[in-house]
Amino acid sequence: MPKNFIPQDQYFKKAKELGYRARSAFKLAELQDKFHFLKTGLDVLDLGAAPGSWLQYAGKLVGQNATLIGLDLQSIQPIAKNTKTFVVDIFSEEAVKLIQKHHPKPFSVILSDLAPATSGQKELDHSRSLELSRQVVALAERFLAPRGTLVIKVFQGGDFDAFIKELKGQFGRVEIYKPKASRARSFEVYVIARR
Ligand SMILES: C[S@@+](CC[C@H](N)C(=O)[O-])C[C@H]1O[C@@H](n2cnc3c(N)ncnc32)[C@H](O)[C@@H]1O
């Protein structure tokens, strides 16, 4: 994954060339270049993982001896032997049971690129994104290792600062980053929280 600047309209083409299922892979690559949370051997839980480009990218960095689990409402085409994916709603008890069954140990990295079905109304999409984000934090309380890293996509809006304040109460370090691969007109940012 090159670190060089890629013009917005080139991300899709570049993703295809490199075999990534979505241009979102470049956002994770930028987050990784800045925060270095993916390392060989670390197990990863990816929430909102379809079609699977984050799992593809993360899988390359953590290597074959690590386990990756991806959950989404949509099915994900097989990626690799060490990558298990499940069709499930992250709000369901089924999601918790699946994680416990397939990965009883805590994860070093939990990623969320979850996005609600957007309405085009900024505050509505923001509040739906926060509902997803709070569920991610609840899952991280159960499944993130003590020194683990949590990465969450959030659509900004009126309650964003309050959400960051909540996170700061739970995590030692909380940083906010907007990758260049994220369209300037999009309200999405990524929050990186570490204990
Ligand atoms: C932007 S896409 C993720 C792209 C992914 N990171 C990739 O690189 O391929 C957001 C995903 O969140 C999923 N999603 C939204 N709400 C969900 C929920 N309640 N439970 C599980 N997945 C959900 C959507 O189905 C969608 O696939």
Side-chain angles (χ1 to χ4, degrees):
M1 181 73 53
K3 291 185 183 182
N4 304 338
F5 174 75
I6 303 172
Q8 276 295 332
D9 57 348
Q10 294 294 307
Y11 282 111
F12 180 74
K13 208 176 136 211
K14 197 88 197 154
K16 248 188 146 180
E17 261 170 45
L18 296 176
Y20 288 111
R21 297 174 184 186
R23 40 171 277 147
S24 321
F26 295 104
K27 299 180 197 171
L28 183 59
E30 280 184 57
L31 291 164
Q32 169 66 11
D33 284 347
K34 186 150 175 72
F35 299 100
H36 315 289
F37 45 88
L38 294 166
K39 297 190 175 107
T40 310
L42 297 186
D43 291 349
V44 176
L45 174 63
D46 186 9
L47 303 167
S53 80
W54 278 28
L55 287 171
Q56 289 178 296
Y57 178 77
K60 285 185 186 169
L61 278 103
V62 297
Q64 287 175 357
N65 295 327
T67 300
L68 299 97
I69 296 204
L71 309 184
D72 203 289
L73 294 170
Q74 316 281 335
S75 67
I76 298 170
Q77 292 299 311
I79 292 178
K81 234 177 162 184
N82 61 337
T83 305
K84 296 178 193 159
T85 64
F86 301 96
V87 177
V88 73
D89 186 336
I90 60 137
F91 289 101
S92 67
E93 192 50 36
E94 179 68 12
V96 171
K97 286 189 188 145
L98 276 171
I99 301 168
Q100 279 168 340
K101 182 174 168 199
H102 293 276
H103 197 278
K105 293 179 296 175
F107 291 87
S108 300
V109 179
I110 298 185
L111 305 173
S112 164
D113 195 24
L114 281 157
T118 46
S119 67
Q121 294 178 52
K122 186 188 168 199
E123 282 305 316
L124 181 59
D125 293 344
H126 160 64
S127 79
R128 287 179 180 159
S129 163
L130 275 195
E131 276 173 31
L132 288 166
S133 302
R134 290 200 167 100
Q135 178 64 5
V136 170
V137 174
L139 290 171
E141 269 165 22
R142 295 178 79 149
F143 297 113
L144 186 65
R147 294 168 69 83
T149 301
L150 174 62
V151 176
I152 319 178
K153 172 162 78 185
V154 185
F155 292 168
Q156 288 173 295
D159 292 329
F160 181 72
D161 290 348
F163 175 66
I164 296 298
K165 205 171 165 192
E166 281 166 38
L167 272 184
K168 284 186 174 163
Q170 289 167 265
F171 291 85
R173 240 170 104 190
V174 177
E175 288 160 283
I176 300 159
Y177 189 69
K178 171 124 182 133
K180 290 186 193 75
S182 172
R183 292 186 173 93
R185 65 169 186 273
S186 141
F187 296 111
E188 73 182 16
V189 289
Y190 290 83
V191 179
I192 299 88
R194 289 186 254 220
R195 291 216 169 93

